Every structure is written in structure tokens, then in C-alpha cells.
Amino acid sequence: MIENLKTEISEFRDQLMTHPIYGNINSIYNLKQFMQSHVYAVWDFMSLVKKLQLDLTTTSLPWQPPKNNSAARLINEIVWGEETDLDKYGNSVSHFEMYLNAMKQIDADTRDIEKFLSQLREENNIFDIIDQARLPAHVADFLNFTFRIIEEGKTHKIAAVFTFGREDLIPDMFISMIKKMNRKNECNFDQIIYYFERHIEVDGDSHGPMALDMIKNLCGSDPLKWEEAISASKTALQMRINLWDGINLQITQKENVFT
């Protein structure tokens, strides 16, 4: 069944891997614009991760053994890597913090995302916070979809969205382009290069296969769960395409203003 799922979503993945946005991020300015929107997708990914941890492991007291030991082990290993990885300097940080530090290194504007995070400490309703932040529609829609899936509470659907909206959708040519910009400019891009290379390495070598096993474990032999996992995966990928479309439009419109 997992192979059928992969086949069903292949068209969406192909669209993402060949999206024109990668070719248009060809300057420091455009990279900053990309990161200032993409950072929200890096952030909300961790809520999917933590929701899976809440669902699949024991997080209440007194402790009891998890109902599904295999799935619990998988998500704990993924959380360990995503929430407390090592940056290029050997410091323990989440992948989100790694990304935020990379933004700061190239002087991308982090004020909006930091204000957004500050609001989380004061408000309880994530949908109200998204609305109040006055984010671009493609960013707000992406976030709203993530938290609607979380709110729905179907673990197999959350696992599918988590697995197929990942950073392994970033093609190698994009990283090569950033490396080329890094060589041509005085600005140092080593942290963002490390972030993408590290994320792809971890996803491909361990987290990706673990996540596929988790979906197989959660859906089992239930055809309805597999159908829902496929539908959720398609929607997650379409939301990523919409996000890329929106960011790409922002970049190309601003380029035209300056030319």
C-alpha cells in the first residue's frame, strides 16, 4: 500500500521538484525573500512532529507503556533529531532555530516570525494568531491547513502530512545555486547551506524511512486509513505547491519593480 501511496502523489512531488522558484532564487535579495516566508513552514513542521509524539508515546503521569511500541520508538527518534540536532558548530538546536540563525547570518528579516512566536505566548488560539499576523495568503493558508489537520486528530493523516511535506522536496540544484551565490558574494551562506544539506541527509538516511514505516504501522490493513492518508498527502503537497507559487510571485514581482 505504501508504494501505491507514493505513486498517487508522484505528480505532485514532480511539480515541486521542478518548480520555477528554485531558478528564481538567484540573488541574496531573493534568497532573503524566500526564507522570510519559508520559515513559517519550517516552524509549523515541529507542531506536526510534537502532535505525533503526543499521540504515539506516553506524555502523561503516571507513565504507562505506549500502545504501539514500534511507532513510539520511530517518533521519539525523529523528535530527537528534529528538536535537538547539532548545528555546524556542534551546538544542540532545533532545525527551526538552525534556520532562524541562518536567516540572521545573511541579514534576512526575522522580525515578523519572532513577533509571531511572541504572540504564541500570549494567545491560545492558533487560528486567531495566524489571522492577526496578517501573513501573505499563501503562508496563512499553509499554516491553517497544518493546524486543521492537527485539530482533526487522525494520527495516520498527521503522519502522512508530516512525511510528504518535508524538506527532501528541496532539489540538489537549489543547494548548488546557493553555494554558487556564496562563492560570488562577501555574505557568508554556510549556515543555510548546512541546514538544507543536514535536513536532506537526515530525511534520506533515517527520518524518511522511519516515517514511511510509521505510516505503514498506523494504517495497517485498513483501506479507509490508506485512502485518507493518500488524500491528506496530496493536499499537503498541493499546499506546498501553493506556498511555492506565492513566494515565487512575490520574488518575480519585486524583481520587475527594480528592473
Side-chain angles (χ1 to χ4, degrees), residues 57 72 76 89 99-100 127 145 153-154 195 200 205 222 227 249 251:
T57 68
N76 276 334
Y89 306 110
Y99 195 90
L100 203 61
F127 299 104
F145 168 73
K154 292 188 176 182
Y195 167 84
I200 292 171
D205 292 347
D222 187 329
E227 183 181 329
L249 185 60
I251 290 171

Short mmCIF file of all heavy atoms in Angstrom, two decimals, residues 57 72 76 89 99-100 127 145 153-154 195 200 205 222 227 249 251:
data_model
loop_
_atom_site.label_atom_id
_atom_site.label_comp_id
_atom_site.label_asym_id
_atom_site.label_seq_id
_atom_site.Cartn_x
_atom_site.Cartn_y
_atom_site.Cartn_z
N THR A 57 3.29 8.33 22.02
CA THR A 57 4.08 7.99 23.20
C THR A 57 3.29 8.37 24.45
O THR A 57 2.22 8.97 24.37
CB THR A 57 5.42 8.74 23.20
OG1 THR A 57 5.20 10.14 23.39
CG2 THR A 57 6.17 8.52 21.90
N ALA A 72 6.08 4.42 18.58
CA ALA A 72 6.62 5.30 19.63
C ALA A 72 8.12 5.46 19.47
O ALA A 72 8.67 6.57 19.61
CB ALA A 72 6.29 4.73 21.01
N ASN A 76 9.97 9.06 18.59
CA ASN A 76 10.95 9.56 19.56
C ASN A 76 12.30 9.83 18.90
O ASN A 76 12.97 10.81 19.20
CB ASN A 76 11.11 8.58 20.72
CG ASN A 76 10.06 8.78 21.80
OD1 ASN A 76 9.51 9.87 21.97
ND2 ASN A 76 9.76 7.72 22.54
N TYR A 89 28.31 24.17 14.31
CA TYR A 89 29.28 24.49 15.34
C TYR A 89 29.23 23.49 16.50
O TYR A 89 29.93 23.66 17.50
CB TYR A 89 29.04 25.90 15.87
CG TYR A 89 29.02 26.94 14.77
CD1 TYR A 89 27.83 27.57 14.41
CD2 TYR A 89 30.18 27.27 14.07
CE1 TYR A 89 27.80 28.52 13.40
CE2 TYR A 89 30.16 28.20 13.05
CZ TYR A 89 28.97 28.82 12.72
OH TYR A 89 28.94 29.74 11.70
N TYR A 99 17.54 27.23 11.24
CA TYR A 99 17.09 28.02 10.09
C TYR A 99 17.05 29.51 10.45
O TYR A 99 17.47 30.36 9.66
CB TYR A 99 15.70 27.55 9.67
CG TYR A 99 15.25 28.02 8.31
CD1 TYR A 99 15.52 27.27 7.17
CD2 TYR A 99 14.54 29.21 8.15
CE1 TYR A 99 15.10 27.68 5.91
CE2 TYR A 99 14.11 29.63 6.91
CZ TYR A 99 14.39 28.87 5.79
OH TYR A 99 13.97 29.29 4.55
N LEU A 100 16.55 29.81 11.64
CA LEU A 100 16.48 31.21 12.08
C LEU A 100 17.88 31.81 12.17
O LEU A 100 18.10 32.97 11.76
CB LEU A 100 15.78 31.28 13.44
CG LEU A 100 15.12 32.60 13.84
CD1 LEU A 100 14.03 32.99 12.85
CD2 LEU A 100 14.53 32.49 15.25
N PHE A 127 -5.40 29.72 15.25
CA PHE A 127 -6.06 30.26 14.06
C PHE A 127 -6.25 31.77 14.20
O PHE A 127 -6.12 32.51 13.21
CB PHE A 127 -7.39 29.55 13.82
CG PHE A 127 -7.24 28.08 13.58
CD1 PHE A 127 -7.56 27.16 14.57
CD2 PHE A 127 -6.76 27.60 12.38
CE1 PHE A 127 -7.42 25.80 14.37
CE2 PHE A 127 -6.59 26.23 12.15
CZ PHE A 127 -6.93 25.33 13.16
N PHE A 145 -3.91 24.99 7.10
CA PHE A 145 -4.07 23.58 6.74
C PHE A 145 -3.37 22.68 7.76
O PHE A 145 -3.95 21.69 8.22
CB PHE A 145 -3.49 23.31 5.34
CG PHE A 145 -3.36 21.84 5.04
CD1 PHE A 145 -4.48 21.06 4.78
CD2 PHE A 145 -2.11 21.23 5.04
CE1 PHE A 145 -4.36 19.70 4.52
CE2 PHE A 145 -1.98 19.87 4.79
CZ PHE A 145 -3.12 19.11 4.53
N GLY A 153 -7.16 15.46 14.44
CA GLY A 153 -6.70 14.45 15.38
C GLY A 153 -6.56 13.03 14.85
O GLY A 153 -6.43 12.10 15.63
N LYS A 154 -6.57 12.83 13.54
CA LYS A 154 -6.39 11.49 12.98
C LYS A 154 -4.89 11.26 12.78
O LYS A 154 -4.29 11.82 11.86
CB LYS A 154 -7.16 11.34 11.67
CG LYS A 154 -8.67 11.35 11.85
CD LYS A 154 -9.39 11.00 10.55
CE LYS A 154 -10.90 10.91 10.76
NZ LYS A 154 -11.62 10.52 9.53
N TYR A 195 22.02 23.84 6.82
CA TYR A 195 20.64 23.48 7.17
C TYR A 195 20.04 22.57 6.11
O TYR A 195 19.49 21.50 6.42
CB TYR A 195 19.77 24.72 7.35
CG TYR A 195 18.29 24.38 7.41
CD1 TYR A 195 17.70 23.98 8.61
CD2 TYR A 195 17.49 24.39 6.26
CE1 TYR A 195 16.36 23.61 8.66
CE2 TYR A 195 16.16 24.03 6.30
CZ TYR A 195 15.60 23.65 7.50
OH TYR A 195 14.28 23.28 7.54
N ILE A 200 18.26 17.27 4.42
CA ILE A 200 18.12 16.26 3.37
C ILE A 200 18.84 14.98 3.76
O ILE A 200 18.34 13.87 3.53
CB ILE A 200 18.64 16.81 2.03
CG1 ILE A 200 17.70 17.93 1.53
CG2 ILE A 200 18.74 15.71 0.99
CD1 ILE A 200 18.23 18.69 0.34
N ASP A 205 18.51 9.44 5.04
CA ASP A 205 19.21 8.32 5.68
C ASP A 205 18.42 7.67 6.80
O ASP A 205 18.56 6.48 7.04
CB ASP A 205 20.57 8.80 6.23
CG ASP A 205 21.55 9.17 5.12
OD1 ASP A 205 21.27 8.82 3.96
OD2 ASP A 205 22.57 9.81 5.42
N ASP A 222 -6.08 -1.32 7.03
CA ASP A 222 -7.35 -0.60 6.97
C ASP A 222 -7.41 0.23 5.68
O ASP A 222 -6.71 1.23 5.56
CB ASP A 222 -7.48 0.31 8.20
CG ASP A 222 -8.86 0.95 8.30
OD1 ASP A 222 -9.48 1.21 7.26
OD2 ASP A 222 -9.30 1.24 9.43
N GLU A 227 -6.72 5.31 2.30
CA GLU A 227 -7.38 6.30 1.43
C GLU A 227 -7.25 7.70 2.02
O GLU A 227 -6.95 8.67 1.30
CB GLU A 227 -8.85 5.92 1.27
CG GLU A 227 -9.62 6.84 0.32
CD GLU A 227 -11.08 6.43 0.20
OE1 GLU A 227 -11.38 5.23 0.32
OE2 GLU A 227 -11.92 7.33 -0.02
N LEU A 249 5.85 34.32 -6.87
CA LEU A 249 5.20 35.53 -7.40
C LEU A 249 5.74 36.77 -6.69
O LEU A 249 6.00 37.79 -7.34
CB LEU A 249 3.69 35.43 -7.22
CG LEU A 249 2.86 36.56 -7.82
CD1 LEU A 249 3.06 36.65 -9.32
CD2 LEU A 249 1.38 36.38 -7.49
N ILE A 251 8.66 37.17 -5.36
CA ILE A 251 10.04 37.40 -5.82
C ILE A 251 10.07 38.02 -7.20
O ILE A 251 10.76 39.01 -7.44
CB ILE A 251 10.82 36.07 -5.80
CG1 ILE A 251 11.08 35.62 -4.36
CG2 ILE A 251 12.14 36.21 -6.56
CD1 ILE A 251 11.66 34.22 -4.26
#
